[in-house]
């Protein structure tokens, strides 16, 4: 075809040249006629050549359109329909589906990382993969990039369409793979040859359904069969497919289904009808039964912007799950006992578990009970729903499950990408040891990680109402275990890693909760440029850069952060940066409550506390002035270099970013991180779930500054702290006020309150941040 096109183009060009030369003398007189004829001939030949060349290029797409939308099938049964549908396009199937069938590579990459995690726990078990509806074998070839095909003891490709299977056989023969068996079978009745020699129950480790579940009529039978043969402890089922879904009937099902599962009514109506023409069912029943029959490990809901972005958006999902009969006792204990999460927004009644001592009898439908003396209890059947994805998680039980509430939806992202309190000063007063259990505000997790490195306490309850703060700390915990130090520092030290998405799917994901994975999948550009310019706090850093640029002191900022002495540092601050920062425009912005909240995370009540004791100018002056003359920004005082440069340096960073801190968190299979329990709830609700005397320490930062003076919520929270703290236990907090009003509440409730530090003027800082006017301790003495 390409040769003919080129020939026609050459003939047309030669003809034009001949005409022009033959009639060159008459060209002036007969310009219109000869040139027009020549032009039309050239245009006709060129257009013909273009159409033929375009037809050659678009041949796969044209065959796809013909067989999918035009050619009648004329078949009554599933097998004949599939053969007729794919016979004429089997050779171009893979070339025409790359844009339509999104998520296959992600599903396989995620599966490979989860398989590696499961195999590490039981390396001697045979690895068997069954790819149901695998057609041309494209999935198996794609998986070889993530987990070598040679890693599997046996792979079975099952499909009912012979034309597609023939493509698969040729593909595997070309690659020389001998551990793959191609079987032409009905998926709902699939059987492996090895089952003739052994019991099939629990014999398969890995099963995939890539855009095939929606095409299998007997999907209930298929999923029941998969549940029977999937290994309870080391089995993984992975699905990627189109779907539609309406509003979820309960918070529990909504939590399992994941973010953005719900589709609009028009989308549901249109896509169900559209795909139904090709006998592809997008009704919710398939996915609903999948999520009921198996325990969800990971889920992601996407929209395929196929052909026309933002208009043609086909809903698809990626789902990984396990058998519901797997052992979840460790996670039940972490949730119910260690997490103390029996109360709060998680509504534990929906997380009902089967105790080890209980058994579920087989359900047998026999003759109706006619004996009126029969016990009513004998006629009752208890059916439990699947547990949360937390319970089927492969990693450590860091992130406790929660149900999304209205208040969670107010947080689009994290407010704090870094923690703004000095943990070294905390450690001077915490007297923390391995038998301590503590509660802290999550924030960005930097200080909680510092406590774990320095003292390895028995339990660290990290609490934050903003789910995104939990996502951030969970990412740090997982990345510590999954990555090498260079990659880890690139992410959280430099704030930049161009291959974050690849690391997320291939290494980090198995250790993340489903909801955290969804967040970072959606926000996979967070580390593309400057991570610390993300989140609400990033706006303050951006503003600082603009101010420095306008003032012409950007180079002085770098000089300040790299100064070789305190004296040099103080001089740069006094002569260059102080005039730029403490100018009327910046101070005016700091007076705005909207800016204080969105850029600095300072709530309205805390702002009032500052203004009650002075002006905003005085507060900023007293905060910043003493720091350059006291601490070296280049060596250890990492808080302000981050805000000035937008990244940390190896010599000035939080403890978890040092090589020694990183190794301490990884040591002994991450024993130091076992202490973490991440709550997405209020402090009050978490405290209510904890048992008396179960805490010895609490660090609540400036949390109580957020409440209005006289708030009953503070009284209730302090009551719970008194109940939960063991005798001798205490709470540390900071405040924007020199004497916060709630100190009286602690004293009234029986605590002994001590001021550990109060800012007296602009000369002496309280710590390396010096953002707060006071530092307090409330101790329970009896």
């Amino acid at each position: 075809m390409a040769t003919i096109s080129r020939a026609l183009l050459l003939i047309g060009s030669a003809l034009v040249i001949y005409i022009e030369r033959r009639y060159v003398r008459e060209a002036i007189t007969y310009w219109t006629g000869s040139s027009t004829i020549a032009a039309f001939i050239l245009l006709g030949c060129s257009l013909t050549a273009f159409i033929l060349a375009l037809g050659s290029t678009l041949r796969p797409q044209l065959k796809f359109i013909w067989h999918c939308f035009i050619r009648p099938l004329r078949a009554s049964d599933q097998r004949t329909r599939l053969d007729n549908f794919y016979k004429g396009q089997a050779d171009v199937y893979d070339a025409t589906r790359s844009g339509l069938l999104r998520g296959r590579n992600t599903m396989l990459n995620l599966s490979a990382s989860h398989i590696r995690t499961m195999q590490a726990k039981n390396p001697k078990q045979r690895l068997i993969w069954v790819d149901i509806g695998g057609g041309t074998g494209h999935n198996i070839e794609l998986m070889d990039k993530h987990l070598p095909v040679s890693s599997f003891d046996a792979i079975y490709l099952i499909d009912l369409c012979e034309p597609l299977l023939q493509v698969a056989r040729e593909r595997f023969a070309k690659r020389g793979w001998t551990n793959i068996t191609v079987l032409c079978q009905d998926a709902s009745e699939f059987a492996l040859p090895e089952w003739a020699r052994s019991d099939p129950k629990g014999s398969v480790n890995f099963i995939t359904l890539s855009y095939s579940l929606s095409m299998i009529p007997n999907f209930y039978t298929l999923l029941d069969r998969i549940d029977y043969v999937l290994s309870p402890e080391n089995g993984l089922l992975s699905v990627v497919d189109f779907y539609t879904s309406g509003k979820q009937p309960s918070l529990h099902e909504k939590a399992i289904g994941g973010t953005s599962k719900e589709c609009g009514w028009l989308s549901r109506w249109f896509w169900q009808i559209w795909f139904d023409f090709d006998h592809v069912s997008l009704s919710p029943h398939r996915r609903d039964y999948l999520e009921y029959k198996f325990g969800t490990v990971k889920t992601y809901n996407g929209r395929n912007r196929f052909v026309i972005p933002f208009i043609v958006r086909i809903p698809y999902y990626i789902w990984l799950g396990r058998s519901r009969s797997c052992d979840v006792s460790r996670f039940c204990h972490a949730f119910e006992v260690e997490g103390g999460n029996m109360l709060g927004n998680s509504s534990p009644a929906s997380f009902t578990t089967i105790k080890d001592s209980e058994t579920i009898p087989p359900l047998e439908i026999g003759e109706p009970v006619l004996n009126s003396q029969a016990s009513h209890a004998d006629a009752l059947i208890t059916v439990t729903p699947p547990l949360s994805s937390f319970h089927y998680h492969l990693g450590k039980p860091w992130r406790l499950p929660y149900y999304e509430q209205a208040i969670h939806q107010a947080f689009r992202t994290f407010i704090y990408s870094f923690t703004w309190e000095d943990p070294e000063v905390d450690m001077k007063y915490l007297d923390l040891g391995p038998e301590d259990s503590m509660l802290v505000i999550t924030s960005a997790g930097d200080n909680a990680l510092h406590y774990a490195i320095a003292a390895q306490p028995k339990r660290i309850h990290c609490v934050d109402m903003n789910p995104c703060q939990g996502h951030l700390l969970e990412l740090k915990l997982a990345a510590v275990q999954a990555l090498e130090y260079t990659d880890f520092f690139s992410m959280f030290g430099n704030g930049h890693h161009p291959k974050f998405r690849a690391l997320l799917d291939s290494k980090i994901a198995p250790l993340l909760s489903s909801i955290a994975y969804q967040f970072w999948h959606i926000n996979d550009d967070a580390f593309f440029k400057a991570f610390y310019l993300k989140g609400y706090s990033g706006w303050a850093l951006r503003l600082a850069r603009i101010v420095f640029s306008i003032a012409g002191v950007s180079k002085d900022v770098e000089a300040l952060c790299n100064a070789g002495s305190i004296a040099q540092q103080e001089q740069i601050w006094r002569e260059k940066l102080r005039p730029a920062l403490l100018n009327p425009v910046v101070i005016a912005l700091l007076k705005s409550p909207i800016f204080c909240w969105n850029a600095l995370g300072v709530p309205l009540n805390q702002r009032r506390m500052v203004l009650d004791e002075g002006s905003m100018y005085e507060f900023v002056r007293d905060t910043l002035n003493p720091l350059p003359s006291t601490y070296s920004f280049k060596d250890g005082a990492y808080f302000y270099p981050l805000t000035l440069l937008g990244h940390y340096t190896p010599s000035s960073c939080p403890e978890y970013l040092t090589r020694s801190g990183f190794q301490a968190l990884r040591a002994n299979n991450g024993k130091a991180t076992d202490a973490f329990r991440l709550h997405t709830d209020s402090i009050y609700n978490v405290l209510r779930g904890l048992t008396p005397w179960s805490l010895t320490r609490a660090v609540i930062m400036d949390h109580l500054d957020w409440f209005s003076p006289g708030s009953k919520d503070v009284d209730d929270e302090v009551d719970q702290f008194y109940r939960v703290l063991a005798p001798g236990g205490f709470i540390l907090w900071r405040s924007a006020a020199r004497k916060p009003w709630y100190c009286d509440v602690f004293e009234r409730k029986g605590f002994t309150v001590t001021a550990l530090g109060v800012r007296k003027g602009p000369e002496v800082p309280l710590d390396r941040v010096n953002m707060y006017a006071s530092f307090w301790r409330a101790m329970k003495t009896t």
Side-chain angles (χ1 to χ4, degrees):
M1 190 71 74
T3 303
I4 296 174
S5 301
R6 291 191 183 96
L8 287 172
L9 185 61
L10 287 172
I11 292 172
S13 300
L15 184 61
V16 171
I17 293 171
Y18 170 77
I19 292 173
E20 291 295 330
R21 288 184 176 178
R22 173 68 177 81
Y23 300 103
V24 65
R25 292 183 179 180
E26 293 85 1
I28 297 175
T29 306
Y30 301 102
W31 175 262
T32 303
S34 61
S35 294
T36 301
I37 292 172
F40 271 114
I41 293 174
L42 176 60
L43 178 63
C45 293
S46 299
L47 185 60
T48 302
F50 174 76
I51 292 173
L52 291 173
L54 185 64
S56 177
T57 304
L58 298 180
R59 177 177 171 272
Q61 285 72 25
L62 294 174
K63 292 185 72 173
F64 168 74
I65 293 171
W66 167 254
H67 288 281
C68 288
F69 304 117
I70 302 174
R71 183 176 179 269
L73 292 178
R74 296 192 182 93
S76 57
D77 62 280
Q78 174 78 347
R79 181 166 188 166
T80 306
R81 184 185 302 114
L82 289 173
D83 285 349
N84 290 347
F85 185 77
Y86 289 113
K87 184 176 182 180
Q89 58 170 317
D91 59 328
V92 298
Y93 180 90
D94 294 328
T96 56
R97 265 52 172 203
S98 59
L100 179 62
L101 306 182
R102 294 289 298 276
R104 292 181 294 176
N105 185 61
T106 299
M107 181 270 283
L108 292 170
N109 198 359
L110 279 173
S111 299
S113 62
H114 283 71
I115 288 172
R116 284 192 291 266
T117 301
M118 299 174 85
Q119 286 294 108
K121 298 176 182 178
N122 193 359
K124 295 183 179 180
Q125 185 172 4
R126 295 182 72 227
L127 187 55
I128 309 297
W129 175 17
V130 179
D131 186 21
I132 298 176
T136 64
H138 173 79
N139 288 338
I140 296 174
E141 186 173 63
L142 192 58
M143 173 61 96
D144 190 55
K145 301 176 182 178
H146 308 299
L147 188 65
V149 166
S150 59
S151 303
F152 295 91
D153 293 281
I155 301 175
Y156 296 93
L157 191 158
I158 295 173
D159 205 292
L160 194 59
C161 180
E162 184 58 38
L164 295 181
L165 292 179
Q166 188 55 39
V167 175
R169 294 186 186 98
E170 294 172 0
R171 167 177 271 136
F172 301 150
K174 184 178 180 180
R175 297 295 296 267
W177 290 329
T178 58
N179 59 336
I180 304 174
T181 302
V182 177
L183 301 172
C184 186
Q185 295 180 352
D186 185 334
S188 61
E189 300 175 352
F190 77 93
L192 308 185
E194 60 188 61
W195 292 349
R197 304 183 301 273
S198 60
D199 184 4
K201 186 174 180 62
S203 62
V204 179
N205 311 90
F206 181 41
I207 299 177
T208 51
L209 291 160
S210 175
Y211 287 95
S212 55
L213 182 59
S214 57
M215 298 182 67
I216 298 171
N218 300 324
F219 67 93
Y220 289 112
T221 305
L222 168 66
L223 293 177
D224 288 347
R225 195 172 187 83
I226 291 174
D227 183 49
Y228 184 85
V229 303
L230 191 66
S231 172
E233 297 304 326
N234 297 288
L236 182 69
L237 170 61
S238 299
V239 181
V240 58
D241 213 330
F242 299 122
Y243 83 101
T244 61
S245 179
K247 290 185 177 180
Q248 299 304 293
S250 70
L251 288 174
H252 188 62
E253 290 177 317
K254 183 178 181 181
I256 291 174
T259 304
S260 302
K261 180 181 179 181
E262 181 181 342
C263 307
W265 69 268
L266 180 60
S267 177
R268 297 197 304 271
W269 174 80
F270 177 81
W271 291 119
Q272 286 188 40
I273 293 176
W274 177 271
F275 281 96
D276 193 53
F277 285 117
D278 293 323
H279 301 276
V280 177
S281 176
L282 266 62
S283 68
H285 307 94
R286 281 167 163 76
R287 184 173 177 184
D288 287 347
Y289 190 62
L290 173 72
E291 292 175 343
Y292 172 79
K293 190 69 178 179
F294 298 90
T296 298
V297 174
K298 291 287 187 301
T299 188
Y300 170 77
N301 302 300
R303 300 294 184 269
N304 183 352
R305 295 169 175 83
F306 182 59
V307 181
I308 309 176
F310 307 111
I311 298 178
V312 180
R313 302 174 73 246
I314 311 173
Y316 74 97
Y317 70 102
I318 300 169
W319 181 93
L320 274 64
R322 302 174 65 191
S323 169
R324 283 178 56 182
S325 60
C326 67
D327 182 12
V328 297
S329 58
R330 181 168 73 107
F331 291 91
C332 290
H333 187 266
F335 172 68
E336 298 169 3
V337 180
E338 298 170 358
N341 205 14
M342 295 306 297
L343 296 169
N345 82 65
S346 295
S347 302
S350 297
F351 292 98
T352 304
T353 59
I354 300 298
K355 298 178 181 178
D356 294 338
S357 59
E358 296 177 347
T359 58
I360 304 177
L363 179 63
E364 296 181 359
I365 306 299
E367 296 296 324
V369 179
L370 300 177
N371 185 356
S372 60
Q373 302 299 319
S375 170
H376 177 65
D378 292 339
L380 293 179
I381 300 173
T382 300
V383 179
T384 60
L387 303 175
S388 71
S389 58
F390 164 82
H391 292 84
Y392 305 105
H393 182 49
L394 297 185
K396 297 186 177 184
W398 295 318
R399 188 67 175 276
L400 300 177
Y402 68 96
Y403 290 145
E404 185 179 86
Q405 306 294 323
I407 191 171
H408 297 143
Q409 298 172 5
F411 298 104
R412 298 185 300 274
T413 185
F414 42 86
I415 296 176
Y416 310 104
S417 57
F418 49 90
T419 303
W420 203 236
E421 286 82 13
D422 192 341
E424 286 193 358
V425 174
D426 293 348
M427 290 301 299
K428 291 180 182 178
Y429 296 100
L430 278 172
D431 189 25
L432 204 58
E435 295 303 314
D436 284 304
S437 292
M438 62 189 309
L439 181 145
V440 303
I441 304 292
T442 304
S443 188
D446 302 357
N447 288 12
L449 291 168
H450 187 105
Y451 307 146
I453 294 167
Q456 295 195 11
K458 179 172 61 177
R459 182 70 59 229
I460 305 177
H461 295 282
C462 298
V463 185
D464 211 301
M465 281 298 296
N466 184 347
C468 306
Q469 299 295 159
H471 301 333
L472 177 55
L473 176 52
E474 196 180 346
L475 180 67
K476 291 179 179 180
L477 289 168
V480 163
Q481 303 301 316
L483 304 182
E484 297 300 322
Y485 178 71
T486 52
D487 286 325
F488 186 78
F489 192 87
S490 292
M491 284 176 56
F492 297 109
N494 299 330
H496 166 70
H497 201 303
K499 296 182 179 180
F500 168 69
R501 176 58 191 283
L503 293 176
L504 177 67
D505 289 343
S506 63
K507 294 186 177 182
I508 303 173
L511 303 180
L512 287 177
S513 66
S514 181
I515 188 66
Y517 171 76
Q518 293 167 59
F519 177 83
W520 292 113
H521 185 133
I522 294 169
N523 296 280
D524 59 4
D525 62 341
F527 295 91
F528 183 70
K529 285 188 177 180
F531 171 72
Y532 291 106
L533 297 183
K534 307 289 184 180
Y536 294 134
S537 58
W539 288 105
L541 273 62
R542 290 174 186 272
L543 174 64
R545 288 190 170 190
I546 293 172
V547 170
F548 294 143
S549 178
I550 293 174
V553 295
S554 297
K555 291 184 178 179
D556 296 301
V557 168
E558 294 185 12
L560 176 74
C561 296
N562 293 302
S565 66
I566 294 293
Q568 181 186 5
Q569 187 175 268
E570 201 277 333
Q571 180 182 3
I572 296 171
W573 163 253
R574 186 180 64 255
E575 296 178 0
K576 300 292 185 178
L577 299 189
R578 186 181 186 279
L581 273 179
L582 298 182
N583 67 70
V585 176
V586 175
I587 298 301
L589 274 175
L590 293 173
K591 291 180 180 179
S592 166
I594 296 175
F595 176 80
C596 285
W597 169 245
N598 287 317
L600 303 177
V602 177
L604 188 61
N605 289 320
Q606 188 175 57
R607 179 177 168 274
R608 288 193 186 118
M609 296 172 78
V610 172
L611 297 177
D612 286 344
E613 296 184 351
S615 68
M616 191 61 71
Y617 172 82
E618 291 171 337
F619 186 84
V620 176
R621 180 200 64 194
D622 294 351
T623 296
L624 299 178
N625 258 348
L627 292 169
S629 59
T630 308
Y631 301 107
S632 170
F633 291 164
K634 181 182 178 181
D635 299 309
Y638 56 82
F639 301 93
Y640 288 97
L642 172 68
T643 63
L644 296 172
L645 300 175
H647 61 83
Y648 293 111
T649 65
S651 62
S652 189
C653 60
E655 186 65 21
Y656 79 95
L657 283 174
T658 65
R659 188 176 291 274
S660 59
F662 177 80
Q663 293 299 337
L665 290 171
R666 285 174 64 96
N668 299 320
N669 195 28
K671 182 181 178 182
T673 66
D674 291 343
F676 285 87
R677 296 293 179 266
L678 278 57
H679 304 256
T680 309
D681 209 336
S682 67
I683 289 180
Y684 175 72
N685 276 343
V686 173
L687 290 173
R688 284 199 307 152
L690 298 177
T691 56
W693 295 15
S694 58
L695 289 182
T696 59
R697 303 286 186 270
V699 183
I700 58 175
M701 298 182 176
D702 62 340
H703 159 67
L704 293 177
D705 277 5
W706 292 45
F707 292 91
S708 301
S711 171
K712 185 180 181 299
D713 292 336
V714 174
D715 281 71
D716 294 340
E717 190 169 295
V718 174
D719 283 336
Q720 289 299 324
F721 268 121
Y722 195 87
R723 182 186 66 85
V724 172
L725 278 170
F730 56 82
I731 308 163
L732 298 182
W733 74 85
R734 289 174 172 84
S735 176
R738 291 183 176 88
K739 179 66 185 295
W741 61 270
Y742 46 82
C743 288
D744 295 337
V745 178
F746 280 97
E747 291 176 340
R748 192 171 68 247
K749 300 293 183 179
F751 286 92
T752 300
V753 179
T754 305
L756 302 178
V758 178
R759 195 157 71 185
K760 307 212 182 280
E763 303 304 327
V764 181
L766 291 181
D767 52 37
R768 293 176 296 174
V769 179
N770 200 38
M771 182 62 71
Y772 299 97
S774 58
F775 183 35
W776 298 85
R777 178 179 65 203
M779 179 176 289
K780 178 181 177 180
T781 55
T782 58

